[in-house]
Amino acid sequence: MKLKLSPFNYILILLFFFTSCGKENDVRVIKLAHVLNPQHSVHRAMLFMADRVAEKSNGKLKLEIYHSGQLGSESQCLELLQIGSLGITKVSTASMEGFAPSYKVLGLPYIFRSKEHMYKVEDGPIGKRILKDGEKAWLRGLCFFDAGSRSFYTKDKPIEAPKDLDGMKIRVMKSITASKMVSELGASPMPLPFGELYTALQQGVVDGAENNPPSFYLTKHYEVCKYYTLNEHTSVPDVLVISTIIWDRLSEQEKQWLQEAANESVPVQREYWAESEAEALAAVKAAGVEVKQLTEEEKATFSDKVSVMYEDYKQDTLVYNLIQKIQAVE
């Protein structure tokens, strides 16, 4: 994707007052920004990663972490990475689709047979290839983080079968794949920034959304939406991305410290995620949300409706080959 800056008001302030990678007294500091709150498993894994970077480098390399959208939205942070004004950010892999086509395959509904299958793909050759696919857009992937499975939550009625989505307005990420999936299921996709979703739900701009349990809980969307159907249509991972402008400034030793620390944070984040997912489901149930776990047979009614999306990629050799390779992973 060609670099195109959005006109958010404080970008010039950030450019002048924040440097993404600077040295002070022989200590290199890399700024890392994301939109999640400090209780999120990803943020906690980033703190672990920062500690490991400092330990490996004996304090010569440090990560400075900004949470809760302090430096902008996901798209804004990606823009700052592209011009080297921010070092690292965490985004959904769906946000990377416009920069690196191979990321599309990770957002396909029901592409992974199980969590174990997903981890094998992400940790193996396929995942490593996808992480490097954004370099032409100045965005290099460091690792994938677990973001669980996304499911539908709604205000006025539960979604138990695809027909229940007919005519509904569902918020989706800014992703071609996510929009296509919701359309195939019969609803109208509404791409909205995540930070605007609570108000959009309150005001009836959208009828519902789709996300994982911790995000549903930590954003307090359960205060507005009292129905949560665990149809688990996608398992879109998060990805930790570094600006190639910043990456290229690092020495080989610094790159090694940073990559090793990122790799070591992955299993830690997965443990945190499993804990937070169980806690989130318990909390929203206690708050009066009707949570329905669909059976495999019931999920099949959703997967059958979106199976056409796989065929749509037959003309896209890159993505279709990746689909076949992922399906071949045992």
Side-chain angles (χ1 to χ4, degrees), residues 46-307:
M46 288 173 177
L47 295 178
F48 172 87
M49 177 180 166
D51 287 342
R52 294 297 293 136
V53 166
E55 290 170 10
K56 288 174 180 292
S57 67
N58 290 319
K60 293 179 182 179
L61 182 63
K62 292 186 177 180
L63 296 183
E64 199 170 89
I65 303 174
Y66 297 82
H67 58 78
S68 305
Q70 293 175 71
L71 301 190
S73 66
E74 283 199 352
S75 60
Q76 289 166 349
C77 284
L78 284 174
E79 289 171 0
L80 292 174
L81 256 66
Q82 288 184 302
I83 55 177
S85 292
L86 179 65
I88 302 173
T89 192
K90 187 288 307 175
V91 297
S92 168
T93 54
S95 299
M96 291 292 292
E97 291 178 11
F99 303 100
S102 61
Y103 277 93
K104 293 177 184 176
V105 74
L106 301 176
L108 283 171
Y110 303 102
I111 186 69
F112 301 116
R113 297 188 297 273
S114 65
K115 195 169 281 287
E116 292 71 29
H117 179 227
M118 180 177 70
Y119 291 162
K120 272 194 171 183
V121 171
E122 292 172 0
D123 297 342
I126 297 173
K128 288 179 171 59
R129 172 192 169 175
I130 293 173
L131 287 173
K132 292 182 179 179
D133 197 29
E135 290 184 341
K136 289 181 181 178
W138 306 284
L139 303 169
R140 176 188 177 92
L142 291 171
C143 65
F144 293 107
F145 285 144
D146 193 352
S149 295
R150 301 176 74 91
S151 297
F152 290 111
Y153 53 88
T154 46
K155 291 175 61 178
D156 301 321
K157 65 175 184 178
I159 304 301
E160 298 181 354
K163 61 180 177 58
D164 296 326
L165 286 161
D166 287 349
M168 296 186 75
K169 294 175 291 184
I170 300 294
R171 181 267 174 183
V172 295
M173 297 176 286
K174 191 177 180 181
S175 157
I176 297 170
T177 307
S179 293
K180 174 71 171 172
M181 178 196 68
V182 167
S183 293
E184 291 293 342
L185 290 171
S188 298
M190 302 284 287
L192 290 173
F194 193 51
E196 298 176 13
L197 180 51
Y198 188 99
T199 302
L201 288 165
Q202 275 187 318
Q203 296 178 349
V205 175
V206 293
D207 302 306
E210 46 88 48
N211 216 318
N212 54 61
S215 293
F216 178 49
Y217 171 57
L218 293 173
T219 55
K220 299 187 184 296
H221 291 171
Y222 66 89
E223 294 177 346
V224 186
C225 294
K226 293 300 181 181
Y227 301 98
Y228 193 24
T229 301
L230 302 179
N231 65 306
E232 300 172 330
H233 46 261
T234 54
S235 297
V236 184
D238 285 337
V239 60
L240 196 62
V241 185
I242 186 169
S243 164
T244 57
I245 297 170
I246 303 307
W247 179 260
D248 291 342
R249 291 179 191 168
L250 302 179
S251 68
E252 290 305 311
Q253 179 64 81
E254 288 170 330
K255 290 177 182 178
Q256 182 179 338
W257 288 331
L258 185 61
Q259 187 63 65
E260 286 179 354
N263 293 345
E264 291 171 14
S265 73
V266 171
V268 172
Q269 188 271 336
R270 288 172 181 172
E271 288 183 17
Y272 289 157
W273 179 266
E275 294 169 5
S276 66
E277 198 167 65
E279 291 168 359
L281 285 173
V284 298
K285 287 177 182 177
V289 174
E290 182 182 305
V291 178
K292 180 176 175 59
Q293 175 70 65
L294 297 191
T295 65
E296 292 303 315
E297 185 177 349
E298 289 171 326
K299 286 181 188 178
T301 63
F302 288 86
S303 62
D304 289 346
K305 287 276 288 185
V306 296
S307 60

